[in-house]
Amino acid sequence: MKALLDRARSFKRRVDFESGEYRKLAEGQFPEALFITCSDSRVIPALITGARPGEIFELRNAGNIVPPHDEHGAASGEAATIEYALEVLGVQDVVVCGHSHCGAMGVLKRGTDLSGLPRVDAWLDLARPGLAPLLGDAVEPEDPAVRDVVQMNVRNQLAALREYPTARQLLDTGLLRLHGWYYEIDTGQVHELDEDGLFRVHAS
């Protein structure tokens, strides 16, 4: 923590806040994309994409889950973030990014007893039904079976996002594009979901 605190205290000295770039940020944000990914500390969207401040709007939670659209408008940080990104910020691209060695998807795959973590268990219940055909076997975090669960989860969360009325309307009018990514922590490779439903590494 001391190192983090020291860097926070020296941040103003390390960055040129007199530059036009940072002054412009104070006038408002105009991100290009909404990036939905896991809370895992090893997954850093700006590092992966090379994004500068103001370029991506982030939504992070355990398992990069998009809760089902609630027509009654129940309070949800995820739904509020999606709504704001699409309705107010006008982002035209949304990325749902899963990752290798995902603890959330790993416990689902293994059927880990989460009775001691009831809120985690309830949260992951949102993803369980769509992953049911792939769940139930004991595996290690790096096992390819976990990769399959993570990638299926990305597909499922994109499908959940399409059920949000604003997203559906923007998709129908060609004003929104959805992207599925699978990020490998140990190699840095980004696999992109193609139209045929498979994840592939594309040449830069």
Side-chain angles (χ1 to χ4, degrees):
M1 184 63 200
K2 184 180 184 305
L4 295 176
L5 184 57
D6 288 344
R7 289 196 292 270
R9 289 170 174 168
S10 66
F11 182 58
K12 189 176 186 300
R13 296 196 303 273
R14 292 184 285 111
V15 176
D16 181 12
F17 278 94
E18 298 302 317
S19 71
E21 176 186 6
Y22 283 92
R23 289 185 178 277
K24 189 174 181 180
L25 289 175
E27 298 171 6
Q29 59 171 325
F30 307 95
E32 297 176 18
L34 168 62
F35 201 99
I36 302 173
T37 193
C38 190
S39 301
D40 193 300
S41 62
R42 300 165 295 180
V43 180
I44 307 172
L47 184 63
I48 296 168
T49 62
R52 300 287 298 164
E55 290 185 342
I56 55 176
F57 197 61
E58 295 183 24
L59 169 56
R60 305 187 65 164
N61 61 49
N64 44 269
I65 292 172
V66 176
H69 172 68
D70 183 350
E71 61 184 19
H72 302 296
S76 160
E78 285 75 19
T81 299
I82 292 167
E83 181 179 83
Y84 190 81
L86 300 182
E87 296 275 9
V88 180
L89 298 179
V91 300
Q92 295 185 331
D93 291 272
V94 180
V95 177
V96 175
C97 180
H99 65 94
S100 68
H101 306 82
C102 181
M105 295 300 107
V107 299
L108 286 178
K109 176 62 180 173
R110 292 187 295 273
T112 303
D113 179 10
L114 293 176
S115 57
L117 299 168
R119 291 171 184 81
V120 174
D121 193 34
W123 175 251
L124 294 182
D125 265 344
L126 295 175
R128 271 193 187 94
L131 299 172
L134 301 179
L135 303 184
D137 299 324
V139 295
E140 295 302 318
E142 66 275 10
D143 191 288
V146 175
R147 177 197 61 209
D148 293 343
V149 173
V150 172
Q151 292 182 355
M152 177 60 76
N153 186 55
V154 169
R155 296 185 190 96
N156 292 345
Q157 303 318 313
L158 287 169
L161 186 58
R162 291 186 187 98
E163 295 303 312
Y164 282 64
T166 300
R168 186 164 59 244
Q169 179 182 2
L170 292 171
L171 286 166
D172 289 344
T173 55
L175 297 177
L176 181 66
R177 295 174 294 269
L178 302 184
H179 311 268
W181 289 6
Y182 172 72
Y183 170 65
E184 288 185 349
I185 288 176
D186 51 334
T187 69
Q189 285 190 320
V190 173
H191 303 244
E192 301 171 47
L193 181 62
D194 284 341
E195 292 183 0
D196 61 4
L198 299 178
F199 285 82
R200 294 186 175 89
V201 176
H202 291 265
S204 59

